[in-house]
Amino acid sequence: MEESRDGGIANGEAMETESQKGSTEKRPEAREKWTNKTEFLLSMAGEIIGLGNVWRFPYLCYKNGGGVFFIPYFIFLFFCGIPVFFLETALGQYTSEGGITAWRKICPMFEVNCHNISAAYTGLHRPDVDWSFLYNETDKYSDNYSMSFQNESEFPPFKLISPEQEYWFHRMLRVANSGGLGSVNADLAMCLLLAWVICYFCIFKGVKTTGKVVYFTATFPYLMLFILFIRGVTLPGAATGITYYLYPDISKLSNPDVWRDAGTQVFFSYAVCQGVLTALGSYNKYNNDCYKDCIALCILNSSTSIFAGFVVFSILGFMAHQLGLPMEDIASSGPGLAFIAYPRALSLLPGPQFWSVLFFFMVLLLGLDSQFVCVESLATALTDLFPGVLRKRRELLVLKIAVICFLLGLPFITKGGFHLFTVMDTYGPSGTNLLFIACFETIVVAWVYGANRFYDNIEDMIGYAPFPVLKYCWLFITPLICAATLLYNLMGSKSLSSADQFVPDWSYKLAPLLTLIPMVCIPVFLFISLGTGRGIITPSSDLKQLRPNSPRLTLFNRVIIKPQRSRHIQEDGEEKANKEHTSRV
């Protein structure tokens, strides 16, 4: 009897050991963390500081009243940009999840928040990276302007085309003003492939490689900016350009378009509402002081934008001085500033090849940084959704994402691809989508999950309570400003038609789809969640709560939303009640 009993015990222990091994094999790999704080800060800086700081912000300042533009810009920054930026970063650090599963943990109803659709848009429409590979200095062209005839059958009318414009439109892009996209430019396709190959090898190992790459890609552009700044401010005419950049036009403040441009610039340059900040924050240690990190990053981002304006307009002022042209004819926006106006200015400097190489290498790094961090956030979201399957196959997942994005990027480098880029840049990951998502984010955290409870979570992580104004920004100020700007944006949306630019017919059909597809995801999933029944606003039991019995939201010492029990507590209570009922019967 004893032998059989001992044998049974031994067999049972063996079975338990085998079952434990099996469960260990099925268990997903442990989630990675940043090696140190520097890797996190540089990765965040690499994402939020990009081409929008170099070519978009300086032009918006010039367009919207110079130094006066700083007033609406900083209002949006303090009351919308910083609160949402900190909210997403803290949410990722608190939940240790990516852009989808982080919201599932605090509010399952808001699980699909179209973050990654916006991130995919942002990662796709980045042909500027491969443009910078192919672009060469233009000083070998003559200073004479060529005539581009709009009608070949007769001499007039005609317009003057500079050598830089000729090179940009007819050598680089080979733009064809036809109804279709046309054929793919082979040399640009090779550059696009090279960009995605570099992107893959930067992130295929996860934060282990990403954290090391950003030591160079996030810091080198600052060295380039500083060198170009020193060279620019020492040129004749630089003071004219800087004055033109900062000259305040008070009358512009009464124009609602100025405020709209300020809001969209803040949301675009800070990479909010794309799931990227949540993904990068999720690799932090639980007790990392993400509050001070976010404040430092916000100061760095806005300072870089303002500093880039001095770099750009000092050299553009020199260009105006050399050519004897007014600044109105020099300054341009978008890719035109980086690939037409700025190369023209560099070609007038002594040793133009050296300055051109520095500038376009900086453009390349700024684009690559943002590109591979967007792909990193998408890979993080997918691996967190299916950790048991994808976490062990991360390299293959990143490879598939890179291949798909490369194929989807090919239409942008066709002969009609520049028109597609213009439509995507205006209506894709635009301010409209980001403002819409920001409204829902702040409402869910402040009014559904509870602003007090989220404050307690942050206090538990960093050891102290953040600035109390943030709570009221999430509750009232941020959603109201975002909603008002969103309504104005929808009512006064920009037209694609232009007197001096060809617009294909298909762009009028594509533009509303690009705006509506990310926005419609949220209400559709909300209705689906409401049909499933209970637990749609109950946070996960895995989340640590500092004060589980405290109200979720209080205003002026009044309880607005009572405490909420987590899922496992509710289930245990129901099970206990059922047992008591059964025992009584």
Side-chain angles (χ1 to χ4, degrees), residues 42 45-51 54 126 128-130 132-133 195 198 202 213-225 357-373:
L42 290 178
E47 166 57 21
I48 64 178
I49 298 170
L51 297 170
V54 175
R126 290 194 182 274
D128 39 61
V129 177
D130 51 283
S132 62
F133 272 124
I198 295 174
C202 286
V213 170
V214 292
Y215 277 101
F216 175 73
T217 60
T219 56
F220 189 77
Y222 280 98
L223 177 61
M224 296 298 97
L225 275 176
V357 168
L358 288 184
F359 176 74
F360 287 108
F361 189 57
M362 179 188 71
V363 171
L364 170 65
L365 292 181
L366 289 173
L368 276 176
D369 254 353
S370 302
Q371 180 176 334
F372 69 67
V373 172

Side-chain angles (χ1 to χ4, degrees), residues 31-280:
R31 212 169 185 277
E32 296 176 312
K33 296 292 183 182
W34 297 111
T35 305
N36 51 60
K37 184 190 285 286
T38 305
E39 292 183 0
F40 165 68
L41 292 175
L42 290 178
S43 298
M44 293 280 280
E47 166 57 21
I48 64 178
I49 298 170
L51 297 170
N53 301 75
V54 175
W55 76 31
R56 195 167 189 263
F57 180 84
Y59 176 75
L60 288 178
C61 281
Y62 142 74
K63 172 189 170 185
N64 295 304
V68 169
F69 183 71
F70 294 155
I71 297 176
Y73 174 81
F74 282 111
I75 288 176
F76 270 95
L77 175 62
F78 291 137
F79 294 109
C80 295
I82 293 177
V84 179
F85 186 89
F86 175 56
L87 183 150
E88 293 186 2
T89 307
L91 177 65
Q93 180 172 313
Y94 173 59
T95 59
S96 293
E97 297 286 345
I100 296 177
T101 47
W103 291 98
R104 174 197 287 176
K105 279 198 168 186
I106 69 165
C107 183
M109 185 171 61
F110 196 63
E111 177 180 346
V112 176
N113 52 14
C114 62
H115 271 163
N116 296 100
I117 295 177
S118 296
Y121 279 171
T122 307
L124 283 179
H125 90 294
R126 290 194 182 274
D128 39 61
V129 177
D130 51 283
W131 291 343
S132 62
F133 272 124
L134 191 62
Y135 209 92
N136 296 313
E137 70 282 350
T138 58
D139 64 301
K140 58 187 176 185
Y141 294 91
S142 64
D143 290 340
N144 298 324
Y145 283 66
S146 64
M147 292 183 294
S148 176
F149 293 94
Q150 294 177 338
N151 189 349
E152 296 179 358
S153 62
E154 53 187 72
F155 187 79
F158 63 90
K159 59 180 179 179
L160 295 177
I161 299 295
S162 68
E164 291 75 25
Q165 290 174 309
E166 187 77 21
Y167 183 82
W168 169 243
F169 287 110
H170 300 294
R171 167 61 184 92
M172 275 284 297
L173 303 179
R174 304 176 188 91
V175 175
N177 293 338
S178 60
L181 291 175
S183 59
V184 175
N185 297 322
D187 47 2
L188 283 177
M190 295 304 296
C191 293
L192 181 64
L193 177 61
L194 179 59
W196 279 109
V197 169
I198 295 174
C199 177
Y200 171 76
F201 283 106
C202 286
I203 64 172
F204 77 110
K205 287 289 187 181
V207 294
K208 292 180 180 178
T209 54
T210 306
K212 302 299 182 292
V213 170
V214 292
Y215 277 101
F216 175 73
T217 60
T219 56
F220 189 77
Y222 280 98
L223 177 61
M224 296 298 97
L225 275 176
F226 182 73
I227 293 174
L228 291 171
F229 171 76
I230 296 299
R231 185 69 184 106
V233 296
T234 57
L235 294 171
T240 303
I242 293 174
T243 302
Y244 188 81
Y245 166 52
L246 297 176
Y247 181 77
D249 184 359
I250 304 297
S251 63
K252 291 283 188 178
L253 288 177
S254 60
N255 187 354
D257 290 340
V258 175
W259 295 82
R260 178 183 63 183
D261 287 345
T264 54
Q265 171 63 18
V266 167
F267 275 78
F268 184 79
S269 66
Y270 276 81
V272 296
C273 305
Q274 298 176 24
V276 179
L277 305 178
T278 306
L280 296 179

